[in-house]
């Protein structure tokens, strides 16, 4: 892997603008993620986090601005384009089919087949459990339906999917929102494992306490603009939460 | 020992397990209680062997479509419409080898239209296929003036074509049974062992997730509608040959009976849950219930009342079983 190319970020979004009718959702946002880095993307509701991420994952296209991936300018028009680049998104509860088995969920849409499109069930069962085990999650039966799993385990299944398909950048949209404290901790561990595997992560959350445990850098959005972009060691939870609630530009506040 | 335990729990975790119990109980009850045990006499079994495949073949398609999250009420009209066209082609002396293919094409196209209405025009399938059901039935009644058309004037008995669709094999077993088994196997493998089947399940279970994973859910649904159309046309030929006629009343009630069979067989009305063996079992259960009740002397014209009550009782019991299982 050429992660050594550390000066250049893995992905860089420059001057991104987005309108929804009359709503000016993103007002010239610059955003980047380095190789093997966990970035916390935080901000209040309506700050533009989801819009920014949906542009990166191909669900929306920007009205203005450029995206560079591994140093090259890219056009991401559909979710498939994003996937082909190695950008994978894990949405809250939307990623899994609850009444379908673990193995079938992991390989949803990308099923390994033998002849004539018939499923390679052995491979699906073995590989799905092995990948889930890499995240530190022990599940025994690949035929278990996802509905029977805990919230944390479900996130594990969804994250195992992106790990198996060798994502370079994983976007996690509120992965801990509906989870208990213990399950949230489990999900944090999964995210650490993704980094261990050399994958970069964008972690969108309302919960700064969760973000602070794992993110190495924070980007705060408010009303479609970037308020700050700060390394963890240069900030603390109180400053960040003040920033989010006040919605003021960092330059006005921290006039050094 | 452990393996056996898990097999037993596997069987009971299976949604249609309860149906299997009811099915076996019904067979026992009807065999013992029907006068002179006519239920298990060869005459009755032969009749069942001809009747069950009609509904069974339709239910396979309708059930698979339901797993994919959609309904098709228009089967009630695709069946007589393709039967009409089939018999008309016999009357017009079309080249025999072409007739079955054109008939089946008619069904596939009608299914395709349903699929387009649901996925592209975005009408809920219940409404869209209610519309096409009434539309095609209107067209059919206008075109046929509701008059039956006998086939014997145009097709002498004993042709190879007829033998393939409605003949009998050794021991008087109707060929229709083989066709039912054939479609059960094909659709069973497709749904449970092929990647397309996985797409059907996830499309019905969580369409947003399926689309996010790059599955063309519109294509999946359209193909399911086309499979239903195919099966309707195929069955309509079997039925027309069996009753030796086109009848404008063909297909009436099949739309709901097929849904009932699927649900009794463990298919979820919300999509994402179901199985081909379950749907087969559901069809057998409903058909045997109907047949057995008649043999027991239930009034023929009121038979739907019993079946309706049976379906409701079944659904109620199923709810309790589900609760009991999850405790």
């Amino acid at each position: 892997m050429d992660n050594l190319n550390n000066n250049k970020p893995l992905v860089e979004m420059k001057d991104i603008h987005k309108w929804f009718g009359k709503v000016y959702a993103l007002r010239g946002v610059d955003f980047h993620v380095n190789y093997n880095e966990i970035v916390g993307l935080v901000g209040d509701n309506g700050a533009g986090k989801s819009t920014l991420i949906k542009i990166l994952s191909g669900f929306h296209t920007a009205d203005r601005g450029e995206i560079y991936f591994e140093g090259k300018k890219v056009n991401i028009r559909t979710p498939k384009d994003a996937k082909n680049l190695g950008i994978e998104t894990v949405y809250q509860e939307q990623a899994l089919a609850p009444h379908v088995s673990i193995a079938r969920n992991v390989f949803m849409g990308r099923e390994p087949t033998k002849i004539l499109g018939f499923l390679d069930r052995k491979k699906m069962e073995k590989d799905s459990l092995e990948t889930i085990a890499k995240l530190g999650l022990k599940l025994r039966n690949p035929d278990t339906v996802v509905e029977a799993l805990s919230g944390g385990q479900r996130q594990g299944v969804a994250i195992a999917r992106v790990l198996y398909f060798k994502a370079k950048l994983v976007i996690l949209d509120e992965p801990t929102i509906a989870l208990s404290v213990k399950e949230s901790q489990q999900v944090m561990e999964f995210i650490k494992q993704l980094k261990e595997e050399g994958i970069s992560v964008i972690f969108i959350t309302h919960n700064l306490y969760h973000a602070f445990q794992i993110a190495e850098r924070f980007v705060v959005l408010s009303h479609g603009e970037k308020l700050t972009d700060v390394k963890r060691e240069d900030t603390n939870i109180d400053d960040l939460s003040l920033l989010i609630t006040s919605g003021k530009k960092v330059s006005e506040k921290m006039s050094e | 020992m452990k393996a056996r335990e898990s097999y037993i729990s596997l069987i009971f975790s299976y949604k249609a397990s309860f149906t299997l119990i009811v099915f076996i109980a019904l067979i026992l009850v009807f065999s013992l209680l029907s006068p002179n045990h006519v239920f298990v006499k060869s005459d009755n079994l032969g009749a069942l062997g001809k009747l069950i495949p009609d509904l069974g073949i339709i239910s396979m398609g309708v059930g698979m479509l339901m797993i994919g999250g959609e309904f098709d009420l228009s089967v009630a009209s695709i069946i007589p419409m393709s039967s009409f066209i089939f018999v008309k082609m016999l009357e017009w002396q079309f080249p025999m080898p072409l007739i079955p293919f054109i008939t089946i094409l008619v069904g596939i196209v009608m299914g395709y239209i349903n699929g387009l209405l649901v996925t592209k025009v975005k009408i809920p399938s219940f409404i869209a296929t209610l519309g096409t059901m009434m539309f095609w039935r209107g067209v059919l009644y206008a075109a046929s003036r509701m008059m039956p058309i006998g086939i014997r004037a145009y097709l002498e008995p004993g042709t190879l074509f007829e033998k393939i669709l409605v003949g009998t094999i050794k021991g008087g077993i109707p060929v229709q049974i083989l066709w039912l088994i054939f479609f059960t196997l094909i659709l069973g493998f497709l749904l449970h062992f092929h990647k397309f089947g996985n797409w059907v399940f996830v499309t019905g279970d969580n369409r947003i997730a399926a689309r996010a994973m790059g599955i063309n859910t519109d294509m999946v649904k359209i193909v399911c509608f086309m499979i239903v159309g195919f099966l309707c046309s195929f069955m309509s030929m079997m039925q027309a040959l069996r009753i030796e006629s086109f009848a404008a009343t063909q297909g009436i009630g099949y739309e709901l009976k097929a849904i009932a069979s699927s649900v009794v067989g463990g298919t979820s009305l919300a999509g994402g849950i179901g199985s081909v063996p379950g749907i087969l079992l559901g069809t057998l259960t409903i058909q045997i219930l109907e047949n057995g009740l008649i043999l027991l002397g239930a009034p023929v014209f009121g038979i739907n009342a019993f079946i309706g009550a049976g379906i409701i009782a079944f659904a109620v019991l199923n709810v309790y079983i589900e609760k009991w299982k999850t405790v």
Side-chain angles (χ1 to χ4, degrees):
Chain A
M1 308 218 161
D2 337 307
N3 313 14
L4 304 173
N5 198 0
N6 265 337
N7 311 342
K8 278 206 169 154
L10 170 66
V11 63
E12 191 167 20
M13 302 173 80
K14 280 187 181 166
D15 195 30
I16 301 292
H17 294 260
K18 181 72 185 174
W19 283 267
F20 290 107
K22 284 181 182 164
V23 179
Y24 195 5
L26 291 177
R27 307 171 178 219
V29 174
D30 294 320
F31 177 71
H32 73 277
V33 181
N34 294 316
Y35 283 95
N36 205 9
E37 183 187 34
I38 303 178
V39 176
L41 183 58
V42 292
D44 216 341
N45 286 337
K49 299 175 307 235
S50 305
T51 310
L52 187 67
I53 282 330
K54 280 184 175 161
I55 288 170
L56 191 54
S57 54
F59 284 96
H60 295 322
T61 43
D63 293 316
R64 222 167 83 196
E66 293 168 341
I67 303 174
Y68 294 85
F69 194 78
E70 296 184 307
K72 276 186 278 260
K73 191 174 176 214
V74 289
N75 255 325
I76 303 174
R77 307 216 154 269
T78 64
K80 208 160 203 166
D81 291 345
K83 276 200 168 61
N84 289 341
L85 290 171
I87 302 171
E88 295 272 357
T89 315
V90 179
Y91 287 105
Q92 309 169 24
E93 287 292 302
Q94 296 168 16
L96 303 172
H99 301 102
V100 173
S101 74
I102 293 171
R104 280 167 176 263
N105 262 292
V106 168
F107 289 98
M108 185 195 295
R110 289 183 284 204
E111 297 84 355
T113 53
K114 289 188 279 192
I115 40 158
L116 297 171
F118 282 96
L119 300 172
D120 189 345
R121 283 157 63 109
K122 282 226 177 75
K123 184 178 168 65
M124 285 170 72
E125 288 166 7
K126 186 167 149 278
D127 289 4
S128 58
L129 286 196
E130 275 178 13
T131 314
I132 287 166
K134 266 193 201 165
L135 292 172
L137 180 61
K138 288 236 155 52
L139 294 175
R140 243 188 273 146
N141 185 356
D143 291 330
T144 311
V145 294
V146 163
E147 197 186 32
L149 302 177
S150 74
Q153 290 171 331
R154 281 181 216 185
Q155 286 292 357
V157 173
I159 293 172
R161 178 156 70 195
V162 300
L163 180 58
Y164 183 81
F165 287 102
K166 308 236 181 304
K168 291 171 182 161
L169 173 64
V170 174
I171 302 162
L172 292 156
D173 193 356
E174 300 278 7
T176 58
I177 194 158
L179 301 185
S180 69
V181 174
K182 201 174 147 209
E183 286 170 351
S184 297
Q185 288 310 317
Q186 203 176 17
V187 172
M188 303 295 168
E189 289 304 314
F190 300 157
I191 296 172
K192 283 183 197 160
Q193 284 305 314
L194 283 179
K195 186 180 151 73
E196 292 285 306
E197 300 282 333
I199 298 170
S200 299
V201 177
I202 301 173
F203 180 33
I204 304 166
T205 184
H206 279 91
N207 191 325
L208 283 175
Y209 293 92
H210 287 166
F212 225 82
Q213 288 179 41
I214 50 170
E216 296 156 272
R217 188 158 56 84
F218 289 92
V219 172
V220 182
L221 293 184
S222 175
H223 301 294
E225 288 179 80
K226 185 161 87 173
L227 285 187
T228 190
D229 187 337
V230 61
K231 289 199 166 147
R232 176 172 49 194
E233 51 266 34
D234 299 335
T235 188
N236 57 55
I237 291 182
D238 291 338
D239 280 0
L240 279 176
S241 63
L242 189 67
L243 204 58
I244 292 168
T245 45
S246 72
K248 295 243 174 67
K249 274 257 186 197
V250 70
S251 50
E252 295 160 27
K253 284 189 76 249
M254 295 194 201
S255 43
E256 285 167 320
Chain B
M1 206 168 72
K2 197 103 193 208
R4 176 165 299 174
E5 259 172 48
S6 71
Y7 268 119
I8 290 170
S9 69
L10 189 75
I11 288 170
F12 276 93
S13 71
Y14 190 46
K15 213 164 180 294
S17 58
F18 176 60
T19 314
L20 185 63
I21 297 167
V22 171
F23 174 68
I24 293 168
L26 282 178
I27 289 184
L28 289 176
V29 167
F30 290 140
S31 308
L32 293 173
L33 296 189
S34 58
N36 298 323
H37 310 300
V38 277
F39 180 77
V40 280
K41 292 276 157 62
S42 62
D43 278 0
N44 190 51
L45 290 180
L48 276 175
K50 288 175 189 165
L51 280 174
I52 287 172
D54 280 10
L55 179 62
I57 288 171
I58 304 300
S59 302
M60 284 298 151
V62 168
M64 184 164 158
L65 180 67
M66 280 170 68
I67 294 171
E70 300 295 345
F71 292 100
D72 190 349
L73 299 177
S74 73
V75 297
S77 296
I78 300 180
I79 294 166
M81 198 72 193
S82 38
S83 168
F84 178 67
I85 289 167
F86 169 63
V87 174
K88 272 287 170 192
M89 282 192 291
L90 289 176
E91 186 186 322
W92 296 330
Q93 299 289 313
F94 264 52
M96 197 59 216
L98 282 182
I99 292 179
F101 292 103
I102 297 174
T103 308
I104 278 168
L105 196 66
V106 167
I108 291 176
V109 168
M110 289 168 110
Y112 183 65
I113 293 170
N114 285 334
L116 286 185
L117 287 174
V118 171
T119 60
K120 304 299 177 195
V121 191
K122 300 193 192 304
I123 306 169
S125 58
F126 199 86
I127 303 300
T129 60
L130 183 66
T132 51
M133 171 170 83
M134 297 182 75
F135 178 80
W136 293 123
R137 196 156 271 283
V139 170
L140 176 76
Y141 284 178
S144 71
R145 296 203 194 86
M146 296 186 71
M147 299 297 284
I149 310 168
I151 62 166
R152 281 297 165 233
Y154 319 111
L155 184 75
E156 75 264 31
T159 56
L160 178 66
F161 174 61
E162 197 168 336
K163 277 184 186 151
I164 290 172
L165 281 185
V166 293
T168 49
I169 52 166
K170 267 180 279 175
I173 297 168
V175 178
Q176 287 102 309
I177 285 283
L178 298 185
W179 281 112
L180 178 61
I181 294 169
F182 173 76
F183 285 122
T184 303
L185 287 176
I186 295 275
L187 292 179
F189 276 109
L190 186 67
L191 193 60
H192 298 296
F193 297 101
H194 194 274
K195 66 179 175 184
F196 181 77
N198 203 35
W199 300 349
V200 173
F201 274 103
V202 297
T203 297
D205 205 16
N206 188 347
R207 195 169 71 93
I208 295 167
R211 287 183 51 153
M213 296 312 297
I215 294 169
N216 184 344
T217 56
D218 286 357
M219 181 275 286
V220 170
K221 288 182 179 185
I222 290 173
V223 169
C224 286
F225 274 110
M226 287 163 74
I227 290 174
V228 174
F230 171 94
L231 294 171
C232 285
S233 295
F234 189 90
M235 180 285 234
S236 81
M237 289 190 289
M238 273 179 22
Q239 205 177 46
L241 289 171
R242 178 166 58 81
I243 62 178
E244 301 190 334
S245 149
F246 153 76
T249 51
Q250 271 178 275
I252 290 178
Y254 271 78
E255 74 286 9
L256 298 181
K257 261 188 170 178
I259 292 174
S261 303
S262 303
V263 171
V264 167
T267 311
S268 161
L269 285 170
I273 305 174
S275 73
V276 165
I279 297 164
L280 179 66
L281 199 56
T283 308
L284 292 173
T285 306
I286 285 199
Q287 286 287 39
I288 280 173
L289 183 67
E290 182 173 340
N291 175 263
L293 285 171
I294 291 171
L295 293 180
L296 286 187
V300 173
F301 291 108
I303 198 75
N304 274 344
F306 292 97
I307 294 173
I311 289 170
I312 290 170
F314 191 89
V316 169
L317 278 169
N318 224 352
V319 169
Y320 282 102
I321 298 269
E322 282 297 308
K323 273 192 189 149
W324 169 76
K325 268 201 291 203
T326 50
V327 167

